[in-house]
Amino acid sequence: RPPVAHKPAVKKSGVDAKKEPSLVARRVDRILALGDLESAAALLRVVPVRTPEEAIAIARRDVAFLLNDNAGACAESQSRIRQFQSVSWRKALVFCQLIAGEGAKASIGAELLREQEMEDEAFFSLVQILGGDRGTAFAAPDQPKPLHLAMMRAGRIQIPDAVVEKGSAAMLRSVAFSPNATLDSRLDAAERAEAYGTLKPSSLAKLYGSINFPPADIAGALTQADKLSGPRARALLYHAAQTQTVAAARAEILAKVFSLARAQGRTGTAVRVFMPILAQVDPSDELAWFAREAARALYLAGAVHVADGWLELATRVGQPPKENPDKASMHASVPADVALWPLSVLASVPLKSQLIPTGAEVSTGVVPNGETSVTETSVIEPVGAAPFDVAKFERWWKSNKSAGDDVQRQRASLFLALAEALGIKVPGVVWLKVATDGRENATLAQPGLIKALEHGAKAGRLAETVLLSAIALGDEAPGKLHPSIIAPVVRSLIIAGFSAEARAMAVETVFGAGL
């Protein structure tokens, strides 16, 4: 047959030249998924302004909207509208025209969008409201776009609670500082953002401190807190703790904070925000009733030596006198050194990033492409594995008997798996004690994923290790994860050199699981 004539490939230009997002665009996208607006903005500042990639331009515009920088977002929109013809740019331009007083242009642009049967009733309602029709009905979407938030802020429309409950990390960070959100919504969003890691504890503390409370409420904060929402109660208690100079009174406030936070699943946030205040309270015999609570919080925060001091106090003094029934009720029947033993063990185990091969048979060779091949026949473990205290385990094991056999075994299995992941040698006889002949109905780790994670860590591929760890953990809180998932993640992070992060994850896991 005659040869087929091939047409030369046509090289596309502009935005079509790259259909796949660039590495920079993907990096910005992931930073925004984490809600770190400042870091995303900093990265975008070093990217050339005229980069012909729509994903970069969209990120620059949306970050500006989320940071309440309408001028920056509109400048980006007006300069890019000819280059990019997607609907999101035309919608942004309509909003920018409205706040610039160009109502006629905005009206025409909105009508053209509506004629295309674009489904975004929230946007069209906001256009009418910003155009002067305050009687227009408006229903905010549960997951609004940055443009929606900017339009709601410009129109002084209250952000509904559903946005806080379902919003992304970046949205929460923005709502926390939005004047058109209720105080409770702002505080709730800020606490959620802090839990995500997108808001510093010190920033949340400043937000607490910026709220005005009547002096009488601050003076009676311990009773007033029960009448308020969780976030507002913590804000009130923060004021009370800041103004209080007596150690015993501060301890009372901190105990209330941790108690409320524990009931609402916000313990980690409460500990991080109130840690500077807790650090100012020294262990003393008169505060023995508070020692267990203080030690638990300090272990979670990683302040091991200070926590050990409080634990020693709780163990030495024991149960508070009966004439203090309120304080005695905070003290469990199980001795403190037994109840807090798993937490103190995981928080205190010495870790090193340096790794050594045990078994030490490693063969190297050269493969055809010239690279070095390494075959491992040994297990890699952290250096300096700590001994396991069987006697203390027995005491702790018996203390959990009242929780029921299933809970007792689940708690023990989780603790032992994490202890071994951190390098503690758990004797086989201890594992036999928690073993059962039944089958467990639980979501287990996907074997291929765990093996890939372990191989990536041993090969020193850090980014791969972190990524696969995140995939393995999923959306579940650490305290709800099965040992077959959390233990390999902790072990792999240690092998990859993230010892501090791995230990913090292990401590948070047993804390969240109620150990």
Side-chain angles (χ1 to χ4, degrees):
R1 292 184 299 177
V4 179
H6 293 280
K7 294 182 179 180
V10 178
K11 185 178 181 180
K12 296 183 179 182
S13 60
V15 295
D16 292 329
K18 288 185 179 180
K19 292 185 178 180
E20 291 294 324
S22 66
L23 179 60
V24 174
R26 294 185 187 203
R27 182 173 176 82
V28 171
D29 178 70
R30 291 300 84 202
I31 292 174
L32 286 177
L34 295 172
D36 192 350
L37 298 177
E38 285 77 10
S39 294
L43 177 57
L44 289 168
R45 280 195 292 270
V46 302
V47 178
V49 175
R50 301 306 301 175
T51 297
E53 185 173 5
E54 185 173 16
I56 294 289
I58 289 175
R60 187 177 279 116
R61 179 199 69 199
D62 287 352
V63 166
F65 275 141
L66 290 171
L67 290 174
N68 196 17
D69 179 14
N70 287 343
C74 288
E76 186 73 19
S77 300
Q78 290 161 352
S79 66
R80 297 287 193 157
I81 190 66
R82 293 182 182 275
Q83 185 178 8
F84 307 120
Q85 296 298 317
S86 58
V87 169
S88 71
W89 293 102
R90 295 162 62 191
K91 288 162 62 177
L93 183 61
V94 168
F95 168 60
C96 294
Q97 290 168 337
L98 282 168
I99 61 177
E102 299 174 341
K105 291 182 180 180
S107 180
I108 293 173
E111 284 303 316
L112 289 174
L113 288 169
R114 189 183 287 277
E115 287 176 5
Q116 295 179 356
E117 298 182 354
M118 189 193 73
E119 295 184 4
D120 191 347
E121 286 305 315
F123 168 77
F124 291 117
S125 296
L126 287 166
V127 168
Q128 289 185 274
I129 292 171
L130 291 173
D133 187 359
R134 301 297 299 183
T136 300
F138 171 72
D142 289 346
Q143 296 181 332
K145 302 290 185 183
L147 175 62
H148 291 131
L149 283 185
M151 296 179 78
M152 292 170 67
R153 188 164 50 235
R156 299 179 181 178
I157 298 171
Q158 184 172 305
I159 297 174
D161 293 340
V163 174
V164 177
E165 294 172 1
K166 301 179 181 180
S168 65
M171 287 288 177
L172 292 172
R173 169 67 176 73
S174 182
V175 171
F177 298 99
S178 294
N180 57 315
T182 65
L183 178 58
D184 284 332
S185 291
R186 289 180 60 203
L187 288 172
D188 190 17
E191 288 192 347
R192 291 173 186 262
E194 194 283 334
Y196 272 124
T198 63
L199 191 67
K200 294 180 180 179
S202 58
S203 297
L204 178 54
K206 287 181 181 178
L207 182 58
Y208 284 162
S210 68
I211 300 169
N212 293 320
F213 289 99
D217 287 355
I218 296 175
L222 290 174
T223 55
Q224 287 296 323
D226 291 325
K227 305 174 184 178
L228 304 175
S229 69
R232 194 189 287 246
R234 281 182 281 281
L236 174 62
L237 291 166
Y238 182 81
H239 277 267
Q242 287 283 68
T243 57
Q244 185 56 252
T245 58
V246 179
R250 274 192 166 177
E252 295 265 13
I253 295 169
L254 290 168
K256 185 70 172 182
V257 169
F258 297 148
S259 175
L260 290 175
R262 186 161 47 247
Q264 297 157 3
R266 302 279 174 95
T267 305
T269 293
V271 168
R272 288 185 290 270
V273 174
F274 284 83
M275 186 51 55
I277 298 173
L278 176 57
Q280 298 175 23
V281 181
D282 296 324
S284 62
D285 286 5
E286 67 172 354
L287 297 180
W289 60 270
F290 178 61
R292 184 185 302 235
E293 193 78 58
R296 184 183 291 112
L298 289 160
Y299 280 130
L300 181 61
V304 176
H305 294 302
V306 183
D308 287 345
W310 282 100
L311 180 57
E312 187 278 330
L313 171 64
T315 305
R316 175 173 54 84
V317 177
Q319 191 78 10
K322 294 182 179 179
E323 57 266 22
N324 292 319
D326 292 338
K327 295 177 181 179
S329 65
M330 298 175 60
H331 211 282
S333 58
V334 180
D337 62 326
V338 175
L340 298 184
W341 180 66
L343 200 59
S344 65
V345 167
L346 299 184
S348 306
V349 61
L351 296 176
K352 297 181 181 179
S353 298
Q354 178 189 359
L355 302 171
I356 57 171
T358 58
E361 294 184 7
V362 179
S363 61
T364 60
V366 178
V367 293
N369 63 5
E371 295 180 354
T372 301
S373 169
V374 179
T375 303
E376 297 180 13
T377 59
S378 58
V379 179
I380 295 183
E381 298 177 344
V383 174
F388 186 81
D389 193 327
V390 177
K392 282 195 174 180
F393 173 78
E394 289 288 348
R395 293 179 64 201
W396 176 77
W397 170 260
K398 292 177 181 177
S399 73
N400 279 268
K401 191 68 176 176
S402 60
D405 289 345
D406 290 342
V407 174
Q408 182 189 33
R409 292 181 189 279
Q410 288 171 4
R411 289 177 175 177
S413 297
L414 179 61
F415 165 60
L416 296 177
L418 288 171
E420 285 208 331
L422 293 176
I424 298 174
K425 291 291 188 180
V426 179
V429 66
V430 175
W431 278 111
L432 283 174
K433 181 178 284 290
V434 304
T436 176
D437 58 359
R439 292 186 177 274
E440 190 170 4
N441 183 19
T443 302
L444 305 179
Q446 202 277 332
L449 176 60
I450 296 302
K451 282 297 180 184
L453 170 62
E454 292 172 344
H455 282 299
K458 291 177 181 179
R461 296 192 291 269
L462 304 187
E464 180 181 320
T465 302
V466 172
L467 176 61
L468 293 177
S469 295
I471 294 173
L473 294 173
D475 295 331
E476 287 285 357
K480 297 181 179 180
L481 291 170
H482 191 270
S484 67
I485 298 175
I486 189 65
V489 168
V490 169
R491 183 166 52 249
S492 297
L493 289 174
I494 293 174
I495 291 173
F498 300 105
S499 298
E501 291 82 357
R503 178 162 54 191
M505 185 177 292
V507 171
E508 183 180 347
T509 298
V510 298
F511 192 98
L515 275 71

